[in-house]
Amino acid sequence: MNTKMKTISIGMAMVLTTLMTAACAQKESGGGSAAGGKKAALDFVWFSDGNEGALMKGIIEEYEAKNTNVDINMIEVPYKDLSTKLKTMISGGKPPALARISTSELGAFANQAVDLGETNGGLDAYTGQFVDSLKPFYVVNNKAVAAPMDVTANGLIYNKTLFDKAGVKVPTSPDAVWTWDEFSAALKQVMDKGGAKYGLVWDYTPQRWSTLLYQFGGSLMSADGTKAAINNEAGVQAAEFFKKLHTDGIAPTSVWLGGENPNNLFRSGTVAAHLAGNWMISNYKDISNFEWGVTYMPKAKQRSSVPGGKFAMAFKKSGVEKEAADFINYITTKEVNAKYTREALFLSPRKDNAKLDYAFGKEMMEVFSNELNSTAPAAAEDWSKQTIVPKFSNDLKKALSEIVGGKTPAQEGLDEVAGLIDKAISEDKK
Amino acid sequence: MAVPASALKARRVRKPGQTKTWIPYLFVLPNLLIFTTFIVIPMVIGFIYSFHEYDGLNPMEFVGFGNYTEIFANDEFWSALARTALYALIVVPAICCLSLAVAMMLIQPIRCKGLFRSIFYWPTMISYIIVGLTWKWIFGDFGVFNYLMTLLGMEPLHFLSDSFYANVSVIIATIWSRLGFYMVIFMAGLQAIPNDYYEAARLDGASKPRVFLTITLPLLKPTTVLVVMLTLIEAFKAYPLLFALTGGGPGQDTTYIVQYIYETGFAKQELGMASAMSVILFVLISMFTALQFKLSKGGSD
């Protein structure tokens, strides 16, 4: 080997060693304002469903202009990578200052979160600002582990062009909603006379399916949270009715069995209705090949939606906990939250922002808001148990697919899920 | 003839028995560092996790062989493993036979040989996710294939929402995406066989099947062993393509072992259990590899 090659080899090894040392090295502390008057650097892990990322960047710029000692760095990740990203950062000893998270992650990260109630005049004073249905989600062990940024509800979006063509009128008042049988008949009419290829697409998630469960009077777990309740009569009825929607040809099997994207199907203009969340208003805003709207969901035994939301969480051991909590307080103020939710077409979680002047779809947002107000208490109780729900939600989704596909009877499929729920509850108690 | 002293200095000859110094290790060092950091250390950590209950965030709790005991009683794990084995049983011979057939065809002096080779090879350059999405657009209920079928007046088929067709779709997409890669390996193996054997066989009047069975196949054994080993390991590790194409459905009908492990670790937040499952899969794959090496004597003949 000549000298040149030796030099290259040594050089390569040194570069690699340096890079790896740098990658594994301890990053300098976040350096809050306490750290020698330097700017506090806040990493904000963020995911976007629509335009809210751009909106938040604007809000951050305004905040930084008013608080020159703070520098907020938005780290954008796809939603599916959020949990892994946060786990990697936290278990690596470098938690971010802040993160936007949904109900699915709240439970998992609750132990790592800063108690926002403690620094804001106590738990009751803090939670009193936000709608009560969200409280079970973000209050864990009497601590406010996050702050609600927007509240979501499930509801019914319909293709107005197809309904008009079929001569079917949708309910215009919450006092005159369809029953599920009436709605099924209406959808068949839209298919026959309006030319819809399918009547209804339903998001492939157990949360969205549970809308039907609560409407049939069921719940995932008992009211005291000590045992599974999904396999009782109401649960089985909900699962069998869901299967019937597919076997009757009203709902396409391609979504729950083939993983077809319901958004794309609805956008094609060949589907009469989509059972989804209020965030779809923003998503469907650009549809121009047909008219669409939002109407009240049908009822079974009762009316119900499923509440959810997106939250801001501040993490312990970030070194900038105080600055992070201050920023969360800023973005959840009446004015800033109103601007954020109005422009992103979200529902505000603040009680004093109940009526916002949306530039688009104001009446649609009011329908979703009404669905939220008509929600069975069991819905929030169930889905707020986020240390238990992830242990069985994927199995519930697959069990429902097998029920829809006729591979498993509803009772048998739900009994299996109930077993998993009971196991998750007993493990959670340890 | 006397060698000039300057030439001797420039061309230092190593004496017999002289030990190599640190230079060879330096060559290995970059790969060793990367291999240790990203493969060995995570593997050891994963092995440690497998004896703990761990959600990735809260403190680990030592459970001994608890995770392993639970896995042996977990029907879903074994179902996923059985589905994977069946998938491998179909995909491995299919890829081997088809890639060998295509390789034999494309080493012949035919027109547009380069173009045909490219057509078979291009899919291997596409990421699995894109391959999955592409076939989803083709096989979806509202996809291209069903559209063409309805244009021809035929009833659409539920490729991705029917258990049997979903598995068939997965197999077709896998073969399509991997065939070109193994075709290249077989082409290299075929071109390494001396032409003299074929000429002698032709002079002796041997038929084409006879030539294939007595000359090509035996001389191609090391290549075939390599291809079988690689396809088998790939089949047991299959995940991104299937996830993009079927998402593991309908129900769990195309949920193979790696997806099942992923879901246990990241959807159910049971990293300890998922690590134990990974250790079992690692042991299984190691056993296959060792068995194949033994049967083929390391592919040496």
Side-chain angles (χ1 to χ4, degrees):
Chain A
M1 177 182 284
N2 61 32
T3 318
K4 204 174 174 183
M5 283 302 290
K6 270 187 199 170
T7 314
I8 292 170
S9 310
I10 294 168
M12 271 177 62
M14 284 177 72
V15 168
L16 265 167
T17 314
T18 312
L19 281 174
M20 292 178 82
T21 313
C24 302
Q26 288 280 315
K27 198 178 126 191
E28 211 173 286
S29 155
S33 43
K38 279 184 186 174
K39 265 193 172 186
L42 275 65
D43 284 338
F44 191 0
V45 178
W46 182 270
F47 69 92
S48 292
D49 292 318
N51 66 340
E52 68 271 29
L55 284 170
M56 185 48 67
K57 277 180 188 162
I59 291 170
I60 288 171
E61 278 170 21
E62 285 170 17
Y63 184 77
E64 285 174 338
K66 289 177 196 165
N67 299 272
T68 48
N69 63 324
V70 173
D71 185 14
I72 299 169
N73 171 35
M74 201 190 232
I75 303 169
E76 290 198 70
V77 295
Y79 174 65
K80 66 181 177 57
D81 295 337
L82 177 74
S83 180
T84 312
K85 175 80 179 170
L86 288 175
K87 276 184 182 172
T88 311
M89 293 177 86
I90 293 166
S91 57
K94 287 287 157 195
L98 300 150
R100 180 195 192 209
I101 57 179
S102 77
T103 49
S104 311
E105 289 81 33
L106 272 175
F109 295 102
N111 289 343
Q112 282 70 36
V114 170
D115 180 4
L116 295 168
E118 196 180 44
T119 53
N120 284 294
L123 186 66
D124 290 338
Y126 188 68
T127 57
Q129 312 170 79
F130 307 111
V131 290
D132 297 332
S133 61
L134 285 178
K135 203 171 164 182
F137 289 98
Y138 69 94
V139 176
V140 179
N141 297 328
N142 284 320
K143 288 176 185 168
V145 298
M149 292 177 72
D150 72 88
V151 59
T152 59
N154 297 345
L156 195 66
I157 299 168
Y158 73 104
N159 183 320
K160 200 166 180 297
T161 305
L162 293 178
F163 270 71
D164 287 348
K165 197 175 165 191
V168 178
K169 299 271 180 230
V170 300
T172 49
S173 155
D175 302 323
V177 301
W178 281 309
T179 63
W180 269 100
D181 287 333
E182 287 167 349
F183 182 50
S184 298
L187 288 174
K188 278 187 176 163
Q189 196 176 329
V190 178
M191 289 166 73
D192 294 340
K193 295 183 181 170
K197 196 167 182 178
Y198 287 105
L200 177 66
V201 284
W202 198 303
D203 285 359
Y204 182 37
T205 82
Q207 195 263 18
R208 237 72 84 228
W209 171 79
S210 71
T211 315
L212 196 61
L213 176 74
Y214 301 116
Q215 288 170 359
F216 272 81
S219 62
L220 300 173
M221 287 166 256
S222 60
D224 58 4
T226 55
K227 62 177 191 294
I230 194 170
N231 55 340
N232 65 16
E233 195 186 342
V236 174
Q237 279 177 353
E240 282 175 346
F241 187 81
F242 191 59
K243 183 192 173 189
K244 190 171 178 292
L245 285 172
H246 289 85
T247 48
D248 287 353
I250 291 173
T253 52
S254 61
V255 175
W256 274 73
L257 298 181
E260 192 91 47
N261 187 336
N263 305 359
N264 294 345
L265 293 181
F266 185 77
R267 277 177 172 278
S268 72
T270 59
V271 175
H274 181 190
L275 199 139
N278 60 292
W279 56 89
M280 291 310 296
I281 294 179
S282 167
N283 192 303
Y284 286 158
K285 199 178 160 187
D286 62 342
I287 289 179
S288 56
N289 52 329
F290 60 89
E291 276 190 76
W292 59 278
V294 174
T295 188
Y296 299 95
M297 281 192 289
K299 64 177 180 183
K301 195 176 169 186
Q302 61 191 9
R303 290 185 68 204
S304 185
S305 180
V306 183
K310 308 293 186 300
F311 302 77
M313 184 180 264
F315 292 92
K316 291 176 192 168
K317 298 179 186 172
S318 67
V320 283
E321 290 92 332
K322 187 190 171 300
E323 288 83 355
D326 287 346
F327 179 69
I328 290 180
N329 289 342
Y330 174 76
I331 60 173
T332 50
T333 53
K334 184 175 186 295
E335 296 72 28
V336 178
N337 181 259
K339 174 186 160 73
Y340 171 74
T341 48
R342 193 174 54 233
E343 291 180 24
L345 296 179
F346 288 152
L347 293 170
S348 172
R350 288 193 64 93
K351 287 176 181 168
D352 49 11
N353 276 340
K355 288 209 180 280
L356 292 173
D357 192 19
Y358 295 98
F360 176 85
K362 190 179 175 188
E363 66 293 345
M364 299 183 198
M365 298 302 277
E366 279 170 10
V367 175
F368 271 105
S369 189
N370 182 271
E371 297 288 6
L372 196 64
N373 294 335
S374 314
T375 295
E381 287 298 330
D382 278 344
W383 288 98
S384 64
K385 294 186 175 72
Q386 283 298 326
T387 51
I388 297 170
V389 171
K391 304 276 184 191
F392 68 84
S393 60
N394 208 40
D395 298 281
L396 172 58
K397 188 166 84 169
K398 294 197 168 177
L400 287 166
S401 299
E402 294 193 343
I403 291 166
V404 167
K407 286 183 79 176
T408 315
Q411 184 71 59
E412 191 184 311
L414 294 183
D415 282 347
E416 278 178 30
V417 177
L420 294 171
I421 295 176
D422 285 335
K423 188 177 167 222
I425 290 171
S426 67
E427 281 175 1
D428 192 57
K429 280 181 186 164
K430 280 181 190 171
Chain B
M1 194 175 77
V3 180
S6 59
L8 269 178
K9 194 179 176 184
R11 197 160 55 90
R12 286 167 60 188
V13 181
R14 199 188 303 281
K15 290 174 188 168
Q18 183 185 345
T19 52
K20 290 170 185 167
T21 54
W22 48 275
I23 297 293
Y25 297 102
L26 203 59
F27 274 108
V28 177
L29 186 65
N31 204 23
L32 184 72
L33 275 174
I34 292 168
F35 182 72
T36 309
T37 312
F38 297 107
I39 306 288
V40 178
I41 295 173
M43 206 171 82
V44 172
I45 292 172
F47 190 67
I48 294 166
Y49 282 174
S50 75
F51 296 102
H52 291 82
E53 200 175 293
Y54 183 45
D55 65 359
L57 282 172
N58 295 305
M60 289 193 288
E61 188 189 332
F62 182 73
V63 291
F65 286 95
N67 288 332
Y68 290 94
T69 321
E70 213 171 306
I71 290 168
F72 281 103
N74 181 349
D75 291 342
E76 281 192 14
F77 174 81
W78 296 107
S79 300
L81 196 61
R83 273 194 294 274
T84 315
L86 183 65
Y87 164 76
L89 204 66
I90 297 166
V91 157
V92 173
I95 287 180
C96 287
C97 296
L98 286 172
S99 54
L100 175 59
V102 173
M104 288 180 69
M105 191 172 67
L106 294 182
I107 57 166
Q108 305 299 325
I110 55 168
R111 273 189 186 182
C112 303
K113 192 162 64 175
L115 175 68
F116 291 128
R117 286 179 179 182
S118 306
I119 287 172
F120 281 105
Y121 191 72
W122 277 334
T124 67
M125 295 190 283
I126 305 170
S127 85
Y128 286 125
I129 297 286
I130 305 299
V131 172
L133 289 175
T134 306
W135 283 95
K136 197 180 179 90
W137 291 329
I138 295 170
F139 282 142
D141 280 16
F142 299 89
V144 177
F145 202 87
N146 273 332
Y147 176 72
L148 293 174
M149 283 178 76
T150 46
L151 279 185
L152 296 169
M154 296 159 82
E155 279 294 305
L157 280 173
H158 296 289
F159 282 105
L160 302 181
S161 46
D162 176 89
S163 172
F164 174 75
Y165 286 119
N167 276 290
V168 170
S169 305
V170 161
I171 288 164
I172 291 173
T174 307
I175 293 171
W176 181 81
S177 69
R178 300 308 293 150
L179 193 144
F181 179 74
Y182 296 107
M183 171 198 79
V184 171
I185 297 178
F186 271 125
M187 277 166 59
L190 287 167
Q191 283 167 340
I193 298 173
N195 212 24
D196 303 356
Y197 293 115
Y198 292 112
E199 279 177 11
R202 200 163 49 241
L203 287 173
D204 288 344
S207 64
K208 280 188 176 174
R210 181 70 190 258
V211 169
F212 177 72
L213 290 172
T214 53
I215 298 176
T216 310
L217 265 190
L219 292 175
L220 211 55
K221 191 178 168 188
T223 313
T224 312
V225 168
L226 176 73
V227 170
V228 170
M229 265 170 51
L230 293 178
T231 45
L232 188 69
I233 291 168
E234 261 189 6
F236 269 84
K237 294 196 317 187
Y239 172 59
L241 191 157
L242 316 176
F243 186 72
L245 179 56
T246 64
Q252 302 198 61
D253 292 335
T254 56
T255 302
Y256 299 151
I257 194 67
V258 174
Q259 184 175 345
Y260 185 75
I261 294 172
Y262 175 83
E263 283 171 2
T264 305
F266 294 97
K268 292 191 174 183
Q269 298 165 2
E270 294 176 3
L271 281 184
M273 181 67 77
S275 299
M277 290 173 179
S278 301
V279 170
I280 293 175
L281 183 63
F282 173 75
V283 170
L284 273 174
I285 293 177
S286 304
M287 278 162 58
F288 288 142
T289 314
L291 183 71
Q292 280 179 325
F293 255 86
K294 197 170 172 64
L295 290 175
S296 65
K297 293 174 187 161
S300 60
D301 58 15

